[in-house]
Amino acid sequence: MKKIGVFLCHCGINISATVDIEKAMEALKDYPGVAHIEDYKYMCSDPGQQLIKKKIKDLGLDGVVVCACSPTLHENTFRLTVKAAGMNEYKMEMANIREQCSWVHKDKTVATEKAIKIIKSVIEKARLDEALDPIEVDITRKAMVIGAGVAGIQTALNIANSGYEVILVEREPSIGGKMAQLSETFPTLDCSQCILTPKMVEVSNHPKIKLMTYSEVVDVSGFVGNFKVKVKRKATGLDWDVCNGCGLCTEKCPKKLPSEFDQGLGERKAIYRPFPQAVPNRVVIDFENCTYMQSGKCGICQKVCPVKAIDFDKEDKFVEEEVGAIICATGFETYSVKDIPEFGGGKLPDVVDGLTFERILSASGPTGGEVRRPSDGKVPKDIVFLECVCSRDPEHYLPYCSKVCCMYTVKHAMLYKHRVHDGQPYVFYMDMRTGGKGYEEFYQRAAEEDKVVFIRGKVSKLYQDDDKIVVCGVDTLSNETIEIRADMVVLATAIVPSKGIRELTKLLKIQIDQHGFLSEAHPKLRPVESLTAGVYLAGCAQSPRDIPDTVSQASGAASMVCTLFANEKLKHEPIIVGVNEDICSGCGICTVVCPYDARKTNLEKKLVEVNEVLCEGCGACAAACPSGAAQQNNYTDNQINAMIKAILGKGG
Amino acid sequence: MFEPKIIAFYCKWCTSAGADLAGTSRLQYAPNIVGIRVMCSSRVDPEHILNAFKEGADGVLIGGCHPGDCHYKSGNYVTLRRITLLKTMMEDLGISADRLRLDWISAAEGKRFAEVVTEFTEQIREKGPLKKESLKEEAV
C-alpha cells in the first residue's frame, strides 16, 4: 500500500481556531494508507515545506496530503515542495479545510468533523494518484493586448521592447483610451496629452507592434502558449492603406454630430477622426449617420478625397491571429449621470460628470480650456464638486470606492481656480483619500493656496432654479444643513467596467467579480494574472485605479508575459483523459462530448485516439464513456467513488 | 434533529472558487455538505451520483459555471442534459428527484453559494433520510 504523509496546517489560527487539529490527527493517524501525520503552524513557510521534504525523504513517502487552504492558492507551492524532495508532484493533494471549512463554520465540533471527512476523502484520492509527467507543448511567442488605453499601450510597449511581437487591438478608431480625454493629471499637473501622445506615436512606429484599431475580438480558442483569436476589423468605409489622414473629408462633410471624445460638448462629422492627435491618423465613416449611406445622396467626401481612399465599403473583415498570451486591458466607463435621478438624471445641462469637466478644462477641448458651462457658455463663479457619486453607497448604488475621484476632484477644483481667479470651488466629500506619492501634499495645496472649500458631507439633492443649481447638503462635521446656489456642478461618478466586458470574459474564459471587474488569480500574490493560464489583466478593467498604478500594473502584466515567453516549452497539465485500448470498442460516444476535438475514432482499429495536447482535461468524455475505457488521470472513477465513500464514513 | 449527509461536486473554475469566496468573506453555512472538486461539472458521471445515494448520501449537489461561462466551452450543457435525464430515472429507482440539485454558481457568487448550500440542506433535512424511501440497491 501507498505510504501517505498527511500534513495539517494551522494557518496561524485561521484553521486551528475552528478545527481541533489534535482531534483531527487522532482520528486520521490510523486511516489506511497514512504512514505519517504531522501538524505545523504555517505549512507553506520555509520550515513547513522543509518538514514535508524531510519526511518524504526519511520515510520514503509516495503520497502527500496537505490539509490547508484552497488549492487555488498553494497547490503549486506544495507541488514544487514535493518535487524538490524527489516525489512526483501529481501525487500531492490538498485538502481545503480553510476556505471550505474553518472559515465558514463557527462550531468547533462540527468543523472538526467536517475537516476529518474532507481530509479522508483526499487521502483516498491520493492513494490512487499516479505519477504523471507534464505534457510539453510549443509556444507562440507573440502577445495580444486587448484595449489600447494607457494600460494596453504600456503593456504592448514593454513586451515589444523585450523583443516579442505584439498585436494591439482597440475597439475605437484611435488608441489612447480615456487618458487621451483627460486635461492635466494629478499630482504633477502635466497635461495628459504631453505624456500619453508620445507613447501613442511610439506604439504606431514600433516594428514589433501590429496595431488593429476599430477592431474587436470575436472568438478565442486554444490554451496558454497557443491561442487562436479571431478579430473583427470593423468596416471604416475607406481604405486605410490609401488614406493619408489629411482630414479634408472631415472638413467638407456636411453632417454634424455630437463628438463622443468631447463627451457630447463639441461636434464631429459623419466622417471623422475622434481627435486631432489620433493614432493611427485615419478617419472612419459613421455608417448610421452618413447621409450617403442612408439615402445614397451626398458623397462629398469621396469627391474631395485627394487620394481616392473612400469606397463606402460596409463589409467587416475577419482575421485570425495565433498568439501565446493575451492581456485584457479593456478599461472603464463612468456611471452615467442619466441614471442618477436625484442629481437631475442628465436633464440639467450644467450638471456634468468628471470626464466631461476634463474636456472643458482641456486645452484641446470644445472651449479651448476656458471654463464655460454647457447651457449658456457663461463662466461659472460658484462651482460645486460632489465626490463619491454612486460609489460607497451600497444601499442605492455601488458599495466600492472608485479610488481616483478624491484626487481628480481636488485637481478639478484647483485647475478651475487657476482659470477662474475670482471663482469659488466647493467640494463635498465623504473622506479624503489621498494615498499615493505626493497626493496629500497636493490636497493641502488646493485647500491652502487655491482656497478650495472642502465640506465633509453628502448632498441629498440638487435642482435648477433660474440659472442657478441649488445644491442641498449637510456638513457632517458641524451638523449644519448647507444650501449652495451654484452656477455649475461636477459629479465624480463611480467607475464601472467598460461595456462589452461580459462578452469578452466569456470568450477568454476568465472570471469577473460581483461588480463586473476582472478577477485576478490572487488579490495579493497573483494580481496581474487571471485564473486562466496565459491570460493577464491590466488597468481599470480589474478595478478602479489611477494612472501610476495602471502603468505599474501594465508593466507587471508585460513582465509576466515575458516570463512565460522565456520558457523553451510550456507544460500542459497531464490530467488528461486517455484511452484504455483493451476496453475501448471505438463507439465514439466520447468524441461527441469533447469540446476540443481532441478525440477521434479510428474506424480501422476500432479505437478512439486522443490528441494529448488538445485535451484540456475537463473529463466530460470520461463520464460519457460507457465502458470505463476513458479515465481521467488522477480523477478516475475509482478515485471519485472512493472519495464519496470516505465522505459518507465508509472509507478505508 | 436529523442531520442529512450531502455530497457536492464542484467544478474547479466556478463553484469551487465561489465556495472559496464564501470562505474569504466568512459567510456561514450549513456544515452538512462536503465537496469533491472536479475540473468540470461534466466530469460527474450519473453513476457517481447514484453511487453517492447508494453509499448513504441523502442529497447530492452539483455546481457548475453559468450557461455560456463554462471554462471548457460546453461542459455545463453536457451536465445539464445528463442531470435532467438522471432525474427522470431517479424517480423510477425510488429516489425522489429533488434530492439531486444542479445549480450554476460563479466564482463571484460566494453569497449565493452559501445560500444554495443552506437552502438545499434544509430542504433535504425536511425530506428526511433517504433510507425511508425505497431505494432499489440492485438497480444501482
Side-chain angles (χ1 to χ4, degrees):
Chain A
M1 183 176 263
K2 233 181 185 174
K3 285 165 88 174
I4 294 170
V6 179
F7 298 89
L8 286 96
C9 178
H10 292 229
C11 192
I13 57 162
N14 276 308
I15 292 170
S16 58
T18 351
V19 173
D20 187 333
I21 301 281
E22 238 173 79
K23 205 172 154 194
M25 287 181 42
E26 189 56 35
L28 293 161
K29 71 176 183 1
D30 296 325
Y31 196 76
V34 176
H36 178 73
I37 188 160
E38 193 166 348
D39 63 324
Y40 188 67
K41 233 172 174 61
Y42 298 100
M43 205 55 86
C44 58
S45 68
D46 186 52
Q49 293 189 42
Q50 292 303 336
L51 181 154
I52 296 173
K53 284 185 209 166
K54 189 171 182 312
K55 292 299 173 202
I56 293 173
K57 284 181 185 153
D58 290 355
L59 304 171
L61 301 174
D62 58 357
V64 161
V65 174
V66 181
C67 315
C69 51
S70 166
T72 308
L73 186 59
H74 277 317
E75 187 170 63
N76 204 34
T77 312
F78 291 114
R79 274 187 179 168
L80 293 175
T81 309
V82 303
K83 198 180 170 192
M87 204 183 97
N88 183 280
E89 68 256 47
Y90 292 95
K91 289 180 161 186
M92 192 291 301
E93 294 288 348
M94 286 192 77
N96 182 348
I97 56 167
R98 193 179 76 169
E99 282 85 345
Q100 297 186 13
C101 187
S102 74
W103 276 353
V104 289
H105 307 305
K106 283 204 178 91
D107 185 315
K108 204 163 181 172
T109 319
V110 167
T112 309
E113 268 175 35
K114 180 168 163 183
I116 293 168
K117 282 185 200 165
I118 294 172
I119 298 168
K120 279 183 180 172
S121 75
V122 178
I123 294 172
E124 291 292 347
K125 181 172 191 297
R127 200 156 38 173
L128 296 167
D129 272 347
E130 293 197 24
L132 303 173
D133 290 314
I135 300 156
E136 288 199 335
V137 287
D138 289 329
I139 171 170
T140 309
R141 288 183 184 78
K142 189 197 267 188
M144 178 175 283
V145 179
I146 307 172
V150 66
I153 289 174
Q154 181 72 23
T155 312
L157 282 174
N158 281 169
I159 298 171
N161 287 336
S162 308
Y164 302 112
E165 281 180 56
V166 181
I167 300 165
L168 182 55
V169 180
E170 168 60 47
R171 159 166 83 178
E172 301 298 327
S174 170
I175 63 170
K178 294 280 189 293
M179 188 176 164
Q181 288 180 275
L182 306 184
S183 55
E184 290 162 39
T185 55
F186 63 79
T188 46
L189 294 187
D190 37 11
C191 77
S192 177
Q193 292 277 341
C194 308
I195 49 180
L196 183 69
T197 45
K199 273 188 186 289
M200 289 163 62
V201 174
E202 198 184 336
V203 163
S204 72
N205 292 337
H206 205 295
K208 294 273 181 190
I209 299 178
K210 184 168 159 190
L211 206 50
M212 286 193 188
T213 58
Y214 216 43
S215 302
E216 280 177 40
V217 169
V218 290
D219 193 38
V220 181
S221 60
F223 48 91
V224 56
N226 297 278
F227 291 108
K228 272 202 185 89
V229 187
K230 197 172 170 189
V231 181
K232 178 169 89 178
R233 309 219 55 185
K234 290 185 275 190
T236 55
L238 60 152
D239 187 342
W240 272 15
D241 291 335
V242 177
C243 172
N244 60 11
C246 71
L248 200 58
C249 52
T250 64
E251 273 171 41
K252 301 293 179 194
C253 174
K255 186 75 179 272
K256 288 177 182 170
L257 297 151
S259 152
E260 291 85 0
F261 185 77
D262 281 334
Q263 298 289 108
L265 294 181
E267 280 175 344
R268 67 161 169 86
K269 300 293 184 59
I271 183 164
Y272 70 106
R273 175 170 38 202
F275 54 103
Q277 300 78 17
V279 169
N281 179 20
R282 293 289 181 267
V283 297
V284 295
I285 295 176
D286 173 356
F287 292 130
E288 272 176 38
N289 292 298
C290 167
T291 313
Y292 180 82
M293 294 309 285
Q294 297 306 323
S295 65
K297 291 172 196 152
C298 185
I300 292 174
C301 51
Q302 200 171 30
K303 285 175 206 136
V304 300
C305 178
V307 291
K308 304 287 169 233
I310 292 157
D311 54 15
F312 296 108
D313 183 7
K314 266 186 93 172
E315 205 69 15
D316 294 334
K317 291 186 178 61
F318 294 87
V319 288
E320 212 170 76
E321 294 286 346
E322 288 184 12
V323 294
I326 301 172
I327 300 90
C328 192
T330 49
F332 69 98
E333 319 253 333
T334 52
Y335 202 95
S336 172
V337 180
K338 286 189 184 126
D339 298 329
I340 316 167
E342 62 272 36
F343 294 158
K347 293 196 182 84
L348 309 178
D350 295 329
V351 177
V352 300
D353 66 4
L355 212 48
T356 310
F357 197 62
E358 291 286 346
R359 293 314 300 150
I360 294 175
L361 289 171
S362 172
S364 64
T367 58
E370 277 184 53
V371 182
R372 294 188 175 278
R373 62 183 196 177
S375 63
D376 53 10
K378 268 192 357 203
V379 176
K381 295 293 177 190
D382 287 292
I383 186 163
V384 175
F385 296 90
L386 307 188
E387 291 196 27
C388 299
V389 176
C390 304
S391 301
R392 303 181 67 197
D393 189 356
E395 265 119 57
H396 307 100
Y397 294 101
L398 301 161
Y400 57 85
C401 166
S402 291
K403 202 169 176 191
V404 293
C405 327
C406 281
M407 288 308 295
Y408 83 60
T409 300
V410 169
K411 178 194 77 178
H412 281 169
M414 206 185 237
L415 291 177
Y416 163 77
K417 190 71 183 177
H418 292 176
R419 296 192 184 26
V420 187
H421 302 302
D422 58 343
Q424 181 57 58
Y426 303 87
V427 174
F428 278 90
Y429 70 97
M430 277 166 80
D431 298 289
M432 229 33 212
R433 295 184 167 178
T434 57
K437 199 171 180 177
Y439 289 8
E440 176 65 17
E441 297 89 322
F442 185 74
Y443 163 48
Q444 293 301 338
R445 210 169 90 208
E448 286 162 17
E449 287 177 24
D450 294 311
K451 308 289 182 234
V452 177
V453 174
F454 287 95
I455 304 160
R456 184 179 177 277
K458 283 211 90 170
V459 167
S460 55
K461 65 170 178 185
L462 44 84
Y463 58 91
Q464 187 90 38
D465 183 24
D466 261 350
D467 72 336
K468 295 279 182 186
I469 292 156
V470 185
V471 180
C472 310
V474 64
D475 181 335
T476 49
L477 292 177
S478 65
N479 259 344
E480 278 171 41
T481 51
I482 292 183
E483 205 180 276
I484 298 173
R485 292 178 66 80
D487 298 306
M488 191 175 174
V489 176
V490 181
L491 307 176
T493 51
I495 283 190
V496 294
S498 66
K499 280 183 200 92
I501 195 162
R502 190 75 196 88
E503 291 68 35
L504 184 63
T505 57
K506 282 186 184 186
L507 296 176
L508 292 171
K509 302 293 170 214
I510 59 175
Q511 326 284 336
I512 50 166
D513 67 18
Q514 70 249 50
H515 308 300
F517 291 108
L518 305 179
S519 291
E520 58 286 316
H522 188 274
K524 298 180 191 76
L525 303 176
R526 297 171 65 193
V528 300
E529 295 165 75
S530 75
L531 270 178
T532 300
V535 181
Y536 304 89
L537 326 169
C540 284
Q542 189 189 2
S543 66
R545 63 197 57 207
D546 57 22
I547 296 165
D549 281 2
T550 297
V551 173
S552 327
Q553 195 203 9
S555 291
S559 127
M560 291 305 294
V561 172
C562 295
T563 310
L564 177 80
F565 288 174
N567 287 292
E568 204 158 296
K569 292 260 179 183
L570 283 186
K571 291 198 163 99
H572 187 59
E573 281 279 336
I575 42 166
I576 55 153
V577 185
V579 173
N580 182 337
E581 295 191 354
D582 294 339
I583 307 175
C584 178
S585 67
C587 71
I589 291 175
C590 61
T591 63
V592 182
V593 295
C594 178
Y596 302 100
D597 285 335
R599 307 177 80 83
K600 289 260 177 324
T601 315
N602 184 329
L603 292 170
E604 230 166 78
K605 289 190 192 163
K606 292 205 170 87
L607 277 178
V608 165
E609 286 166 350
V610 184
N611 182 332
E612 292 193 336
V613 174
L614 289 183
C615 175
E616 285 285 292
C618 64
C621 54
C625 177
S627 65
Q631 289 292 339
Q632 184 170 19
N633 288 345
N634 288 353
Y635 286 91
T636 61
D637 287 333
N638 285 343
Q639 281 176 299
I640 291 172
N641 286 329
M643 291 178 86
I644 292 169
K645 269 188 159 182
I647 292 168
L648 295 167
K650 294 179 178 174
Chain B
M1 192 165 57
F2 165 59
E3 288 299 342
K5 290 179 186 162
I6 302 172
I7 295 254
F9 295 93
Y10 312 141
C11 78
K12 170 182 167 172
W13 304 97
C14 287
T15 308
S16 191
D20 284 352
L21 180 63
T24 40
S25 317
R26 307 298 197 278
L27 302 170
Q28 304 293 303
Y29 56 79
N32 303 59
I33 282 191
V34 178
I36 294 176
R37 190 174 87 138
V38 286
M39 297 305 282
C40 176
S41 63
S42 67
R43 172 64 191 102
V44 184
D45 192 324
E47 278 183 43
H48 300 148
I49 298 165
L50 293 178
N51 206 10
F53 285 122
K54 180 186 156 196
E55 297 294 349
D58 302 301
V60 175
L61 174 72
I62 317 283
C65 309
H66 283 272
D69 282 356
C70 177
H71 188 82
Y72 302 101
K73 298 187 201 176
S74 55
N76 52 0
Y77 295 131
V78 174
T79 309
L80 177 63
R81 289 201 291 269
R82 282 187 190 141
I83 300 301
T84 310
L85 188 61
L86 179 63
K87 274 176 174 264
T88 64
M89 286 169 60
M90 276 169 62
E91 296 283 349
D92 295 336
L93 294 168
I95 312 167
S96 156
D98 52 11
R99 288 188 183 275
L100 172 60
R101 176 164 174 170
L102 169 66
D103 232 305
W104 314 126
I105 301 168
S106 81
E109 294 176 321
K111 190 160 168 261
R112 202 175 121 70
F113 176 86
E115 283 165 4
V116 166
V117 165
T118 303
E119 188 189 288
F120 187 54
T121 307
E122 286 320 306
Q123 191 194 327
I124 299 296
R125 197 196 304 281
E126 224 163 81
K127 285 193 81 74
L130 178 60
K131 60 184 173 197
K132 281 185 186 161
E133 297 166 40
S134 55
L135 173 64
K136 295 172 189 160
E137 212 179 283
E138 69 278 4
V140 175

